[in-house]
Amino acid sequence: MVMRLVDFICRIPEAQWLHRGNPRVTGLATDSRSVRPGDMFVAIRGGQLEDRHRFVPQAIAAGAVAVVVEAQVQADVAAVRVPSTRKALGVFAERFYGSPSRRMRMVGVTGTNGKTTTAMLIQAALGAAAGECGLLGTVEYRLGGRRIPSVIGTPEAHDLQRLLKEIADSGCTAAVMEVTSHGLALDRVQGIAFDAAVFTNFSRDHLDFHGSLESYLAAKKLLFDNLNPEAIAVVNADEEATGRMLSDCAARVVSYGRSPIADVRIANAETDGRGTRVDLETPSGRTQLVLALRGRFHQMNAAAAVAAALAMDVDAETIAAAIRDVQVPGRFESIQAGQDFSVIVDYAHTPDALGNVLRAAREFTEGRLICVFGCGGDRDRGKRPQMGRISARMSDLTVVTSDNPRTEDPDSILRDIVAGVGGANHLVEVDRRKAISLAIENASGGDLVVIAGKGHEDYQDIGGKRIHFDDREVARDVLDGRS
């Protein structure tokens, strides 16, 4: 792809030239270390990144032919100042990659919990109905025939548009993506034309970034504020925050849930060790789902996916067949090595998610319920004692350990959690591998061990460095050693 600089800048009415020029732009970059000759360097700021204005000289030295900034800089290449480099990046990327979202049906899924499972279910349904369907999620990116592990929930705008272009170029007729609050607040989805948006639920998370629940909800709401009248808003009828989410939404609304007013209503549901069965009342009649997914919370995820797919004209029979065998790595994932008790690995890393997982686990537990979990460092401290209280109340034994301590003292994080556990039965082990071993060693026939917090992740961030660590691998190693 090659464009002239003015072809980008004409799309930003407030743009001001700091140093004129109209070079040929062959790529977009926001990291000076990845700049290639011919790139336009966009100096984004905000989020938890260093202000990229600092690195304009390095970008130019690496071959950037133009820079886009928010503040005055010294540059001997074409330079343009805009009110928001993040918004500009989204506009530029959408143009540079040929508006890929407008070549497909686009579905965005947002909410505190359930995004990954709901997105994967919708992707399966749309793929069964209309050929290949792309996916951009927390676990992986499905780019037509190519699958790669995901790097971030919602990538930066230029990376996101590049991935969407690959999906569209591969022949996909639709794409489903998880849309995070960070991605919305930081304008990463700027320029994407969503045909449908799905809201799963809302509870405490990411307050280290957003500062308050109000700001967190406002970020989620942006997805619905920007839908056009021809789009579809699929929302949780049981969720208190739904009214706020729709307050400035022009799209057609379809609701799901257990509420009598839901368009797609859960009439009956049950979950056991083999999977989940859900009976739904829909505008097109009664639909029965049989799913491989376990856990009561998946009933709502399935209802959300069915509501979205039905609203996008997929018939109920096709949906039910497509989502029957969907499994999601690290979401209530069972680890079996011949032991006489159960081990479950789950991504639950918020108070609400941990409560949901432990509630679901209790339904399958004949003996004791043991929970091992930690909380991330350099993040919302307030949820740590909350999660400690939840585990203490719902588990028979809590093993408190590290998650991703990042640059924070791991022992300090554990103290915050233990403050919530109080006098309930618990053990403390800062080494996550040893903590998982402790939990499993304490289990006997009929017990269930929940290893929460990391799910599909295959790393730990300790002292700012990533090391390989996969809860599932560690659990299997411990179980093999035990046998």
Side-chain angles (χ1 to χ4, degrees):
M1 286 77 70
V2 179
M3 291 176 60
R4 288 286 182 179
L5 179 60
V6 292
D7 295 327
F8 293 104
I9 303 308
C10 69
R11 298 169 68 87
I12 310 290
E14 308 89 347
Q16 299 175 335
W17 293 92
L18 300 179
H19 192 284
R20 286 196 174 271
N22 188 27
R24 296 166 72 251
V25 174
T26 57
L28 304 175
T30 59
D31 188 330
S32 61
R33 296 165 297 185
S34 64
V35 168
R36 294 176 296 184
D39 281 356
M40 175 167 64
F41 179 71
V42 183
I44 59 174
R45 54 171 35 145
Q48 293 165 322
L49 300 173
E50 287 189 86
D51 185 345
R52 300 294 171 85
H53 287 71
R54 289 182 50 206
F55 303 103
V56 166
Q58 291 92 323
I60 294 172
V65 295
V67 296
V68 180
V69 295
E70 293 177 14
Q72 188 75 36
V73 295
Q74 291 296 320
D76 56 2
V77 299
V80 178
R81 183 163 58 193
V82 297
S84 167
T85 48
R86 283 192 171 277
K87 285 186 184 296
L89 178 63
V91 172
F92 297 162
E94 195 265 346
R95 168 85 171 181
F96 186 71
Y97 288 106
S99 305
S101 69
R102 300 178 192 278
R103 297 162 52 194
M104 305 176 287
R105 303 186 80 184
M106 285 294 307
V107 182
V109 182
T110 198
T112 304
N113 300 309
K115 293 188 296 297
T116 298
T117 301
T118 302
M120 285 190 170
L121 291 170
I122 296 171
Q123 190 251 356
L126 294 183
E132 281 288 333
C133 178
L135 176 72
L136 298 176
T138 302
V139 174
E140 66 178 0
Y141 304 148
R142 298 179 184 176
L143 313 171
R146 193 164 76 98
R147 294 188 179 193
I148 58 175
S150 66
V151 178
I152 188 173
T154 305
E156 292 290 357
H158 60 310
D159 293 324
L160 178 54
Q161 293 288 348
R162 175 178 49 79
L163 291 166
L164 288 174
K165 182 179 187 302
E166 182 173 342
I167 291 172
D169 287 349
S170 73
C172 288
T173 59
V176 184
M177 64 175 289
E178 296 179 45
V179 185
T180 64
S181 59
H182 289 70
L184 288 159
L186 297 174
D187 295 306
R188 291 174 182 168
V189 297
Q190 181 81 23
I192 295 179
F194 286 103
D195 297 285
V198 182
F199 173 52
T200 59
N201 50 60
F202 181 78
S203 62
R204 180 176 183 141
D205 200 12
H206 304 305
L207 295 196
D208 54 292
F209 176 79
H210 295 287
S212 68
L213 283 171
E214 179 68 19
S215 294
Y216 176 38
L217 182 61
K220 295 283 188 191
K221 183 176 178 292
L222 289 171
L223 179 61
F224 294 86
D225 292 351
N226 292 311
L227 293 177
N228 64 48
E230 291 73 40
I232 305 158
V234 181
V235 296
N236 184 340
D238 302 351
E239 173 60 61
E240 183 180 350
T242 291
R244 172 68 190 281
M245 197 68 61
L246 294 174
S247 61
D248 297 295
C249 178
R252 174 167 68 94
V253 176
V254 175
S255 64
Y256 67 91
R258 293 183 170 83
S259 169
I261 65 170
D263 297 308
V264 174
R265 184 176 67 86
I266 298 174
N268 185 49
E270 58 183 47
T271 300
D272 58 26
R274 293 167 296 186
T276 299
R277 288 170 293 284
V278 185
D279 292 330
L280 298 174
E281 294 288 353
T282 79
S284 57
R286 196 175 183 91
T287 295
Q288 185 174 74
L289 306 177
V290 179
L291 306 171
L293 297 169
R294 297 186 300 160
R296 191 171 188 269
F297 47 90
H298 284 313
Q299 297 167 11
M300 287 294 282
N301 296 333
V306 170
L310 285 174
M312 298 182 76
D313 301 320
V314 184
D315 67 88
E317 188 175 340
T318 298
I319 298 169
I323 69 177
R324 175 189 294 268
D325 298 318
V326 171
Q327 300 265 23
V328 184
R331 303 309 192 270
F332 218 73
E333 184 174 347
S334 178
I335 308 298
Q336 289 294 331
Q339 75 275 13
D340 60 356
F341 56 90
S342 300
V343 177
I344 298 292
V345 171
D346 194 88
Y347 189 53
H349 61 283
T350 68
D352 187 56
L354 184 63
N356 285 337
V357 165
L358 292 178
R359 196 172 296 111
R362 178 62 75 182
E363 295 177 8
F364 309 137
T365 306
E366 298 174 3
R368 295 187 308 155
L369 178 57
I370 301 170
C371 177
V372 53
F373 81 99
C375 290
D378 304 328
R379 297 291 187 269
D380 178 13
R381 288 187 62 181
K383 74 177 184 180
R384 297 171 187 172
Q386 288 187 14
M387 293 178 70
R389 282 191 290 273
I390 288 168
S391 183
R393 185 178 71 249
M394 302 181 73
S395 307
D396 298 296
L397 171 63
T398 296
V399 183
V400 181
T401 188
S402 295
D403 191 295
N404 292 321
R406 300 183 178 87
T407 63
E408 194 173 346
D409 175 14
D411 290 314
S412 175
I413 300 170
L414 269 59
R415 285 193 294 271
D416 288 343
I417 299 171
V418 170
V421 174
N425 190 23
H426 72 278
L427 300 171
V428 178
E429 172 52 65
V430 69
D431 184 295
R432 191 171 179 92
R433 181 179 295 272
K434 291 180 180 177
I436 291 171
S437 181
L438 266 177
I440 290 174
E441 287 170 5
N442 272 273
S444 55
D447 291 349
L448 191 152
V449 177
V450 171
I451 305 171
K454 297 184 63 60
H456 67 283
E457 291 181 351
D458 62 358
Y459 67 88
Q460 263 194 297
D461 188 331
I462 302 175
K465 295 182 178 179
R466 285 194 175 193
I467 61 170
H468 179 76
F469 193 98
D470 188 319
D471 284 351
R472 297 164 297 179
E473 291 178 6
V474 173
R476 289 189 185 97
D477 287 346
V478 173
L479 289 169
D480 287 344
R482 176 182 168 120
S483 63

